[in-house]
Amino acid sequence: MTQPSNERGQGAAADVDLPTQYRPADVEGRLYERWVSAGLFTADPARDPARPAYSIVIPPPNVTGSLHMGHALDHSIQDTLVRRRRMQGYEALWVPGMDHAGIATQNVVERELAKEGLSRHDLGREAFVERVWKWKGESGGRILGQMRRLGDSVDWTREAFTMDEHRARAVRTIFKRLFDDGLIHRAERIINWCPRCLTALSDIEVEHADREGELVSIRYGSGDEEIVVATTRTETMLGDTAVAVHPEDERYRHLVGRDIELPLTGRRIPVVADEHVDPAFGTGAVKVTPAHDPNDFEIGRRHDLPSLSVLDERGVITAHGPFEGLDRFEARPAVVAALREQGRIVKEVRPYEHSVGHCQRCSTVVEPRVSLQWFVTVAPLARAAGDAVRDGRVAIHPPEMAARYFEWVDNMHDWCISRQLWWGHRIPVWYGPDGEVVCPGPDEEPPAGWTQDTDVLDTWFSSALWPFSTLGWPEKTPELERFYPTSVLVTGYDILFFWVARMMMFGLYAMDGVEPFKTITLHGMVRDQHGKKMSKSFGNVVDPLDWIDRYGADATRFTLLRGANPGGDVPVAEDWAQGSRNFCNKLWNATRFALINGAHVRGPMPAELSTVDAWVLSRLHTVIAEVDAHLESYDFAKACETLYHFAWDEVCDWYVELAKVQLADGRAEATRRVLGEVLDNLLRLLHPVVPFVTEELWTSLTGADSTGADSTGTIVTAPWPAADAGRADRNAEAAVESLQRLVTEVRRFRSDQGLKPGQKVAAALEWGASPLAEHEEGVRALLRLTAPGDGFAATASLPVEGVTVRLDTAGAIDVAAERKRLEKDLAAARKEVDQARRKLGNEAFMAKAPEAVVAKNRERLNQGEADIGRLEAQLTALPAS
């Protein structure tokens, strides 16, 4: 691997430009603007066709949104993947952009108008849409600037918006194709309806939450026609058109086909037999309200029942009688009271907790409602989306998530794509004076005088085109040729069913059966440290920008990625972010130490290496291979853990400390080169995860030109490290592992003796035939052991790893106090052993106790016996009082 030259660091010490402390705020903004201005994130489809292509499209955040922890996790994962591929020599494209967010954006602008005493109807459709565009230009898209703060290496020259001119053309094109192929139709169906936003909602725009309500059991009919049904929505009984029972339920067989009285209405309704009914639930009979319940709607279709709507678009009762004009929530107790007066109430359960759907944008309780809407016929599209995963063209990671994907696409209902809004892609269908319908293409004009449909398309319709509309479709562009299908889709498992399935359907349809991405990798939700969902009501929401301000973008990213196990939820806590900041500081201090001591990356590796140098290079190349494997399997948590422990534990705590000795003797030049090599590779391995601190350190270490004028002067395009199996040195690893055991055991002994970590103690080291003798200086430095002087008298002797360490602790510890402490611990250990032995020797206990309890007592016995041996040895080693 060719390395940049370095004129610094060739002497015993060098001038260092790095400040003594790392301050992220001084580095991050400066570096990001340098990267962007140098075009380092800009992909070129015509550049070196021999380079493999790699592409990701960002899940477009809402134009109304701001960066939250879910975004920060999602973007950190994507950035890690893209930065690594860029370093591996790929032509890497990460497409940024935003979603127009129909309902959310319209609500924001309507609220602004309300402050002026206006409504959108006062402005009219055209002026209102202009007002939304104005808001978007002035206030929307704040999240794009926040993405820069996080370090997203997106290609800003390709920023897209789901309502821009090119995306509008793509929407018109695919709508026309689907319409002409008979896959788009208009029908009266039951849909989710928001009485406040006055529009249909997609399933993903409905949030379900448990709420306390009332379960009321009502007696329909009388005498031998009597039947009891239970409901949480008593007001909808005014629209009942049947009662349904299971065909094999003997209790009601005599009623099937007969009409019974519907209380309060003066109507009689039939009893029908339908296999949807669960005879074991409640009374085994259910009221059927086809206009106000999706399951009832399907029962109604199967039995040709009338659909009687009793609620208008605002949730107000329209049924004639005393309840007309009441809001649905006012009508509910009024209907119960009227039924009670007639003696129709059999039972009332209050409170009764059940799941209630709410509008995601305004939190209004959603109303199922029959309405004339536009639909996509999804059956053939969903079948193709399922087949693409089943036959291996698209891989879902982790694989166990595939079952949930199939459950969704194999049972998908027709997709309601119309919304009763003004902000969005207006449905490209025109109506003639005599009811004619035409859908002109994007380059065709509608007939003069015809009227366009007033609805707009579901936001998910345009975002379903995102993987190919952002690459130029419907035109055949170089970007589409080079970067489609995209390499990987990164998204949360919570929108697997909605956005992912829709992209699969439209991608396969529009691109002649070619899938929109090769891999779908799913991550979980960010939760607090106790695993609890973040919620304003819980008071546990963390703002990633707050963490970025206090700890830096790198620390924020590292905290999230270190918890990102495949498909699992990601817990975070502030002290973990502080720990990540400390990790960045550790890297900073280690690199600064290396530079001060002349570490460099120039020239070949010395042929003769010390055991310690050979060890750290062997470990480095093992770590490179492990990190590669973890990142290829999208296991970011394991990759980060591996890098963290190698950097902190092995490089900083062991190698740097041992290198200090070598830097002071004849091995200095080789150690400077090895130290430079290790940090060079480590920083490159860490760069995709923590890009800012690694850039600042790497350019200082390598002496690279970091002005941005030359892309070779940046870690962004530096080569990704390659594992070299030839660097494996098991002998060196075994030797250093032995050395580590020696140091660790003596440290433990020192601690047990009450010696402070930094307290110096005189010691004699008897090496015998141990090969560790060459490391005496390093051992003494690590253990704070001074050479034995005049009057040295060993008070403790410790044999470890074939070495005898004799320490003079006289005067270093309070012997009487230490003896008292050890004797107290020894008595406790003996009591623990005695209790465990009695239980394990008790036949009655052994016969009845679960295996886990028996195992626990065996573990107590073994641990206690080990503690006794250790404590007795420490007491013996104490000097005489």
Side-chain angles (χ1 to χ4, degrees):
M1 182 184 299
T2 303
Q3 301 288 357
S5 63
N6 179 17
E7 296 304 323
R8 291 178 287 175
Q10 298 305 297
D15 294 331
V16 178
D17 295 332
L18 289 176
T20 55
Q21 289 185 321
Y22 176 51
R23 295 183 177 86
D26 296 341
V27 171
E28 293 174 352
R30 165 173 55 84
L31 289 183
Y32 193 85
E33 292 310 313
R34 180 186 299 159
W35 291 335
V36 173
S37 63
L40 298 179
F41 307 152
T42 304
D44 183 354
R47 180 166 47 203
D48 190 359
R51 297 176 69 178
Y54 188 81
S55 56
I56 294 180
V57 291
I58 206 165
N62 287 350
V63 65
T64 58
S66 60
L67 193 73
H68 57 63
M69 272 299 184
H71 288 130
L73 169 65
D74 199 66
H75 291 206
S76 296
I77 290 173
Q78 292 174 74
D79 199 32
T80 296
L81 294 171
V82 170
R83 284 180 181 272
R84 176 168 173 259
R85 289 294 190 231
R86 195 178 284 123
M87 295 174 75
Q88 288 176 320
Y90 286 71
E91 190 65 35
L93 169 63
W94 187 14
V95 179
M98 294 184 297
D99 192 289
H100 63 278
I103 295 176
T105 306
Q106 181 158 315
N107 282 348
V108 167
V109 178
E110 286 196 82
R111 283 196 293 269
E112 286 197 352
L113 287 174
K115 295 175 185 176
E116 303 170 21
L118 299 171
S119 74
R120 62 182 165 117
H121 300 286
D122 294 323
L123 270 65
R125 184 172 194 139
E126 187 174 337
F128 176 76
V129 171
E130 287 180 5
R131 178 72 176 256
V132 180
W133 277 108
K134 182 173 182 287
W135 175 89
K136 189 257 182 187
E138 294 174 353
S139 305
R142 185 170 49 143
I143 195 170
L144 298 180
Q146 295 167 346
M147 287 163 54
R148 290 173 175 261
R149 291 206 60 195
L150 189 64
D152 287 7
S153 63
V154 295
D155 185 345
W156 289 110
T157 67
R158 300 180 187 279
E159 182 187 330
F161 182 55
T162 54
M163 280 277 286
D164 64 27
E165 184 178 349
H166 192 94
R167 261 45 65 182
R169 181 176 180 81
V171 166
R172 291 281 300 274
T173 300
I174 199 163
F175 189 100
K176 170 69 172 173
R177 285 182 56 180
L178 289 163
F179 185 90
D180 290 349
D181 286 347
L183 294 174
I184 283 183
H185 63 279
R186 200 179 190 208
E188 278 204 339
R189 300 271 185 85
I190 196 160
I191 44 86
N192 301 308
W193 181 267
C194 177
R196 186 245 170 243
C197 297
L198 299 180
T199 182
L201 303 174
S202 67
D203 291 337
I204 198 172
E205 292 165 329
V206 178
E207 293 184 340
H208 290 270
D210 287 341
R211 293 289 182 266
E212 286 189 355
E214 180 182 34
L215 182 66
V216 182
S217 297
I218 310 166
R219 178 170 50 82
Y220 286 15
S222 58
D224 65 350
E225 292 181 347
E226 181 176 303
I227 194 166
V228 176
V229 300
T231 181
T232 58
R233 305 191 61 216
T234 319
E235 72 281 4
T236 63
M237 67 158 292
L238 302 172
D240 286 0
T241 57
V243 171
V245 298
H246 193 274
E248 297 177 5
D249 195 331
E250 293 292 339
R251 293 171 295 175
Y252 305 115
R253 189 181 294 275
H254 67 289
L255 289 176
V256 174
R258 295 170 64 178
D259 289 346
I260 61 173
E261 178 189 357
L262 177 65
L264 305 181
T265 66
R267 292 189 289 115
R268 293 183 69 82
I269 58 176
V271 178
V272 300
D274 194 279
E275 291 188 351
H276 170 76
V277 180
D278 180 0
F281 182 77
T283 64
V286 297
K287 60 192 287 297
V288 182
T289 320
H292 297 286
D293 183 275
N295 292 322
D296 293 2
F297 181 80
E298 295 302 324
I299 293 175
R301 291 179 67 180
R302 287 194 289 273
H303 297 276
D304 199 23
L305 298 173
S307 185
L308 182 61
S309 179
V310 295
L311 290 166
D312 70 9
E313 61 183 9
R314 296 184 184 276
V316 174
I317 298 291
T318 59
H320 295 302
F323 312 108
E324 185 176 4
L326 293 179
D327 175 81
R328 55 189 169 154
F329 300 118
E330 297 171 334
R332 188 170 298 169
V335 170
V336 171
L339 289 167
R340 190 181 297 115
E341 188 176 336
Q342 291 188 4
R344 293 284 183 177
I345 301 296
V346 176
K347 184 180 180 182
E348 294 178 73
V349 178
R350 187 188 305 112
Y352 179 77
E353 194 171 90
H354 61 121
S355 181
V356 178
H358 295 76
C359 175
Q360 186 186 55
R361 300 303 172 193
C362 69
S363 298
T364 300
V365 173
V366 168
E367 188 64 48
R369 184 169 185 263
V370 171
S371 179
L372 182 63
Q373 302 285 347
W374 285 95
F375 294 85
V376 172
T377 304
V378 301
L381 304 175
R383 190 180 310 115
D387 290 345
V389 174
R390 285 190 172 94
D391 63 23
R393 282 175 288 155
V394 178
I396 292 181
H397 191 86
E400 55 267 24
M401 288 286 184
R404 298 177 67 180
Y405 174 80
F406 293 134
E407 182 180 351
W408 177 254
V409 298
D410 293 346
N411 299 285
M412 194 181 294
H413 299 295
D414 284 355
W415 172 17
C416 177
I417 56 171
S418 45
R419 298 290 180 269
Q420 290 64 54
L421 304 171
W422 286 358
W423 172 245
H425 292 279
R426 195 166 172 181
I427 289 179
V429 169
W430 276 257
Y431 304 103
D434 298 317
E436 305 97 327
V437 178
V438 66
C439 176
D443 298 318
E444 300 170 348
E445 288 294 325
W450 285 33
T451 304
Q452 187 175 2
D453 196 298
T454 57
D455 288 351
V456 301
L457 287 164
D458 176 12
T459 297
W460 296 92
F461 190 95
S462 50
S463 59
L465 314 181
W466 196 247
F468 48 97
S469 69
T470 53
L471 299 177
W473 188 89
E475 277 69 52
K476 293 183 178 179
T477 62
E479 288 81 3
L480 202 62
E481 177 70 23
R482 185 84 188 271
F483 296 112
Y484 188 92
T486 60
S487 305
V488 62
L489 174 76
V490 178
T491 192
Y493 61 66
D494 52 325
I495 58 173
L496 169 65
F497 317 129
F498 306 105
W499 186 47
V500 176
R502 283 158 169 71
M503 285 190 292
M504 285 284 281
M505 291 192 302
F506 276 12
L508 291 162
Y509 174 78
M511 299 300 293
D512 300 320
V514 179
E515 63 282 357
F517 21 74
K518 291 293 186 183
T519 299
I520 301 165
T521 185
L522 301 163
H523 58 77
M525 299 171 63
V526 180
R527 297 181 179 271
D528 70 13
Q529 66 193 92
H530 307 295
K532 197 171 185 178
K533 181 180 178 181
M534 287 190 177
S535 167
K536 290 180 181 177
S537 61
F538 295 153
N540 62 350
V541 172
V542 177
D543 184 348
L545 294 171
D546 181 43
W547 277 12
I548 291 172
D549 286 340
R550 285 191 286 155
Y551 309 120
D554 288 332
T556 302
R557 291 165 62 118
F558 194 77
T559 302
L560 289 164
L561 289 166
R562 199 174 174 189
N565 293 295
D569 288 339
V570 180
V572 297
E574 182 151 353
D575 56 344
W576 301 348
Q578 293 170 353
S580 296
R581 176 199 57 193
N582 295 343
F583 177 63
C584 293
N585 290 340
K586 192 81 168 177
L587 292 173
W588 187 271
N589 293 336
T591 307
R592 198 167 182 278
F593 163 82
L595 290 170
I596 289 171
N597 285 278
H600 63 91
V601 295
R602 192 182 71 170
M605 196 61 56
E608 296 294 327
L609 295 174
S610 70
T611 301
V612 170
D613 287 341
W615 162 75
V616 77
L617 288 175
S618 181
R619 288 293 303 131
L620 168 67
H621 286 275
T622 298
V623 165
I624 293 171
E626 289 176 356
V627 170
D628 264 331
H630 294 323
L631 292 178
E632 286 297 327
S633 60
Y634 305 99
D635 198 332
F636 303 97
K638 285 185 179 177
C640 288
E641 280 297 296
T642 300
L643 287 167
Y644 176 89
H645 288 294
F646 177 67
W648 192 300
D649 301 345
E650 299 186 80
V651 175
C652 294
D653 285 358
W654 288 102
Y655 180 66
V656 167
E657 293 303 313
L658 292 168
K660 288 176 181 177
V661 175
Q662 298 182 167
L663 288 168
D665 62 25
R667 297 167 291 180
E669 187 50 43
T671 297
R672 291 188 187 108
R673 180 65 186 89
V674 171
L675 183 54
E677 178 77 5
V678 170
L679 289 173
D680 168 32
N681 281 272
L682 177 58
L683 292 170
R684 283 186 281 138
L685 287 171
L686 281 163
H687 173 70
V689 178
V690 286
F692 294 109
V693 68
T694 51
E695 170 79 318
E696 193 78 347
L697 295 176
W698 188 84
T699 52
S700 293
L701 177 70
T702 62
D705 175 13
S706 59
T707 63
D710 179 1
S711 64
T712 61
T714 171
I715 197 172
V716 174
T717 52
W720 179 253
D724 181 359
R727 279 291 170 195
D729 191 329
R730 187 58 201 135
N731 290 333
E733 289 194 32
V736 174
E737 287 166 7
S738 178
L739 175 65
Q740 290 170 331
R741 287 192 294 271
L742 166 64
V743 171
T744 300
E745 189 59 34
V746 177
R747 280 176 174 168
R748 183 182 296 115
F749 180 80
R750 283 176 53 111
S751 176
D752 289 340
Q753 296 295 316
L755 294 168
K756 296 177 181 178
Q759 190 171 355
K760 292 185 177 180
V761 179
L765 304 178
E766 297 174 2
W767 296 101
S770 172
L772 298 180
E774 65 172 294
H775 304 293
E776 177 164 351
E777 275 193 79
V779 168
R780 288 188 177 278
L782 289 165
L783 290 170
R784 305 294 190 269
L785 302 179
T786 60
D790 294 340
F792 172 82
T795 59
S797 179
L798 191 66
V800 187
E801 294 293 307
V803 180
T804 300
V805 182
R806 301 189 185 280
L807 300 102
D808 181 359
T809 58
I813 59 173
D814 183 336
V815 176
E818 185 62 16
R819 185 178 299 280
K820 187 176 180 181
R821 183 185 72 82
L822 290 172
E823 286 173 345
K824 181 181 177 182
D825 290 348
L826 182 59
R830 285 171 174 163
K831 183 178 179 181
E832 183 79 1
V833 166
D834 184 55
Q835 289 176 344
R837 279 178 178 159
R838 281 205 308 269
K839 284 190 175 182
L840 293 171
N842 185 324
E843 292 183 5
F845 171 80
M846 294 297 287
K848 294 179 180 179
E851 181 56 38
V853 174
V854 174
K856 182 78 172 177
N857 276 275
R858 288 196 178 108
E859 184 181 333
R860 286 175 60 194
L861 177 61
N862 293 336
Q863 183 61 52
E865 289 175 339
D867 288 344
I868 289 171
R870 176 175 56 82
L871 292 164
E872 287 177 341
Q874 289 172 25
L875 280 165
T876 301
L878 281 176
S881 300

